[in-house]
Amino acid sequence: MSKKSRNHNVLSVVGVLVLVLGFLFKPSDTIRSFKIISDLKNQLPRFAEAPEYRNGAECPATTSSSVCDRFRVHIAMTLDVEYLRGSMAAVSSVLTHASCPENVFLHFIVAESDSEKLSPLTQLVRSTFPSLHFKVYLFKDDLVKNLISSSIRSALENPLNYARNYLADILDLCIDRVIYLDSDLLVVDDIQKLWNIELTKSRIIGAPEYCHANFTKYFTDGFWADPVLSRVFSGRNPCYFNTGVMVMDLKRFRQGNYRRRIEGWMELQKQKRIYELGSLPPFLLVFGGDVEAIDHRWNQHGLGGDNVKGSCRSLHPGPVSLLHWSGKGKPWTRLDSGNPCPLDHLWAPYDLHLSTHNHQLLQNKPISTSSS
C-alpha cells in the first residue's frame, strides 16, 4: 500500500470517530469530559514508578492473569485521595518483602461518590506499579451511609471505612479468602506467611488479639447495663482486635450472612447509642471471642497516637512484621510538617510520592524490622 493510501485510510478512520463522537455528545460535552479527566489527573498526587518485582524460583507459577488463579494471594485495601500516599507506600512494602510478588493480587475499593476518580486512580496505580496484578471496584456509599453514627473523630465516619463489611459481596465469588489491610501501614515481612495462617474451628476472622486491653471501654455504660444486649458475649471471652489487619474467610462470611449481622448492630446503634467509635465495635460484637489469634508481630498498631492528640508511640515488645499507624497521626503528615515521630522514619523509604522532600528519601533502601 502506498504512503498516500495509508494516510488516506488513517484520516478516514479519524473522520468516522469524530462523526460518532459528534452524534453521541455535543461538542461542548466532549471537551468537558476530557477536561474533567485531565483535571483529576492533575489533582492527584504524583508517584515514582516502583521497581519491577519478580517471583523467586520456589514460587508456584500462576497459570494466567486471572483473579481466580488458585495461587493468588488476595489483599483488599480502600483507595481514596486523602490516604493515597499511605496506600502506595503500603503496596510498595508488600511487594518489596514478598517472596512471590507476582502472585500478589490487590483489590482496591473506591467510594461510588468518587466514581469520577475511578479511571484516574486506576491509571495512577498502573503507572506506579506496572507489574502489579490488581482490580478496582466501586463501593456503594448508600449501602452504609444511613447506618453510620457520629464518632469521636470525623475521619472514622467515612463510608469507605465500612467497605470491609462488604468484601464478601464486592469481590468475585471465586475469592474465598482475603487479607484486609488499612492504608496507614507497612508490611516488612513476607505476606505469604500471613496468607498461610489457618483459620481453625470454622472461624471467619483471623487477627492479632490484645486481651490485656480493657474491653468494656469499647461500649457505653448503657450497653453493659442492659442485660439483653450485654448477653451477646455470654459464653465468649472477647478480646480487642484491630480491624485494620484481618485474614477473612469470605466463603464462610457469605454463608453465615455476617454482613447482615454487622448491619443489625449498626441499626441498633442508631436507635440506642451503645458505642463511641466507628466501624470497630460492630466487628467486636459479632466476632469478639471467636477470632483466630494471630501473632502480635502482624499488627504493631497505634503508631499514629491516640485519637485526640496523635502523640508519638513506641513499638510493642517483640519482633515486627507489620507497622500500623492507626490513630490520629499519619507518618506522611508528620514528616512533611518537619515534626515526625521517631518511627515515622521507618515509613519514609517506602514513600513513592514525588516531592523534593521525599525524592531524597527514595535513595534509601527499605528497612526490614522483622526477625525470626
Side-chain angles (χ1 to χ4, degrees):
M1 184 184 291
S2 68
K3 183 176 180 181
K4 184 176 181 180
S5 297
R6 284 198 302 271
N7 290 341
H8 177 75
N9 288 341
V10 170
L11 289 172
S12 298
V13 171
V14 171
V16 170
L17 287 172
V18 170
L19 283 172
V20 170
L21 286 170
F23 283 118
L24 293 175
F25 306 101
K26 293 182 294 185
S28 59
D29 289 340
T30 309
I31 294 169
R32 191 180 300 115
S33 66
F34 285 113
K35 185 176 187 300
I36 288 172
I37 293 174
S38 176
D39 287 348
L40 283 172
K41 277 185 175 180
N42 293 334
Q43 290 172 12
L44 293 177
R46 295 178 63 242
F47 297 91
E49 183 179 315
E52 194 168 354
Y53 299 98
R54 293 300 180 194
N55 281 355
E58 73 285 358
C59 296
T62 53
T63 56
S64 68
S65 60
S66 170
V67 67
C68 299
D69 190 289
R70 66 190 183 96
F71 293 122
R72 294 284 178 214
V73 173
H74 295 285
I75 301 172
M77 297 178 66
T78 58
L79 204 61
D80 67 17
V81 174
E82 186 177 355
Y83 289 92
L84 191 57
R85 193 164 160 189
S87 300
M88 297 295 101
V91 174
S92 176
S93 71
V94 168
L95 297 176
T96 297
H97 296 282
S99 58
C100 302
E102 291 182 83
N103 294 7
V104 172
F105 199 107
L106 261 294
H107 303 268
F108 293 109
I109 317 297
V110 176
E112 191 175 46
S113 56
D114 287 335
S115 58
E116 77 281 359
K117 297 173 185 163
L118 183 66
S119 179
L121 283 170
T122 302
Q123 292 175 38
L124 186 147
V125 173
R126 185 172 291 116
S127 63
T128 306
F129 302 103
S131 58
L132 177 67
H133 298 287
F134 73 95
K135 188 173 179 179
V136 184
Y137 309 75
L138 279 179
F139 172 61
K140 296 181 179 179
D141 305 50
D142 289 342
L143 283 173
V144 74
K145 193 172 287 184
N146 294 329
L147 294 173
I148 297 175
S149 302
S150 60
S151 183
I152 60 173
R153 190 158 57 94
S154 59
L156 300 176
E157 299 168 23
N158 185 339
L160 208 52
N161 287 336
Y162 295 82
R164 71 197 83 188
N165 303 0
Y166 298 88
L167 290 177
D169 299 320
I170 296 171
L171 305 188
D172 299 75
L173 287 175
C174 65
I175 301 171
D176 291 340
R177 183 184 179 93
V178 72
I179 297 171
Y180 176 80
L181 296 178
D182 272 350
S183 298
D184 53 357
L185 54 75
L186 292 178
V187 177
V188 291
D189 202 346
D190 185 1
I191 196 68
Q192 189 78 42
K193 296 177 184 176
L194 185 58
W195 178 257
N196 289 341
I197 288 172
E198 182 183 0
L199 300 181
T200 62
K201 300 180 181 179
S202 299
R203 291 189 174 111
I204 317 298
I205 300 291
E209 288 187 303
Y210 301 89
C211 296
H212 63 277
N214 181 4
F215 190 80
T216 60
K217 73 176 184 178
Y218 294 100
F219 303 96
T220 63
D221 292 340
F223 170 84
W224 293 113
D226 189 317
V228 176
L229 293 179
S230 58
R231 195 170 59 198
V232 68
F233 293 118
S234 178
R236 292 197 269 166
N237 184 26
C239 296
Y240 162 76
F241 66 94
N242 182 281
T243 53
V245 180
M246 295 187 291
V247 179
M248 304 177 67
D249 187 317
L250 297 184
K251 185 176 182 179
R252 293 173 185 162
F253 198 99
R254 296 180 186 109
Q255 290 172 344
N257 199 14
Y258 282 92
R259 161 193 165 175
R260 186 68 200 112
R261 298 189 195 189
I262 293 170
E263 287 177 334
W265 285 110
M266 294 175 68
E267 289 168 356
L268 181 62
Q269 163 77 351
K270 295 287 285 187
Q271 301 166 21
K272 180 179 181 178
R273 196 164 182 83
I274 57 175
Y275 54 80
E276 302 298 338
L277 286 171
S279 59
L280 169 64
F283 254 85
L284 295 179
L285 285 161
V286 174
F287 296 109
D290 194 22
V291 172
E292 187 71 35
I294 294 175
D295 194 293
H296 290 175
R297 68 186 297 157
W298 284 104
N299 195 352
Q300 287 270 352
H301 69 288
L303 304 184
D306 60 69
N307 282 316
V308 180
K309 297 178 182 177
S311 53
C312 294
R313 297 277 182 87
S314 57
L315 289 176
H316 310 203
V320 181
S321 293
L322 187 148
L323 298 134
H324 189 186
W325 279 263
S326 57
K328 185 178 180 181
K330 303 306 172 189
W332 56 90
T333 303
R334 295 192 295 220
L335 284 163
D336 285 354
S337 69
N339 190 31
C341 290
L343 290 175
D344 294 344
H345 294 290
L346 297 178
W347 182 89
Y350 298 91
D351 184 15
L352 298 174
H353 184 238
L354 282 176
S355 66
T356 305
H357 171 71
N358 292 304
H359 184 71
Q360 296 173 354
L361 296 174
L362 290 173
Q363 309 307 314
N364 300 332
K365 291 183 179 180
I367 301 169
S368 175
T369 58
S370 63
S371 61
S372 301

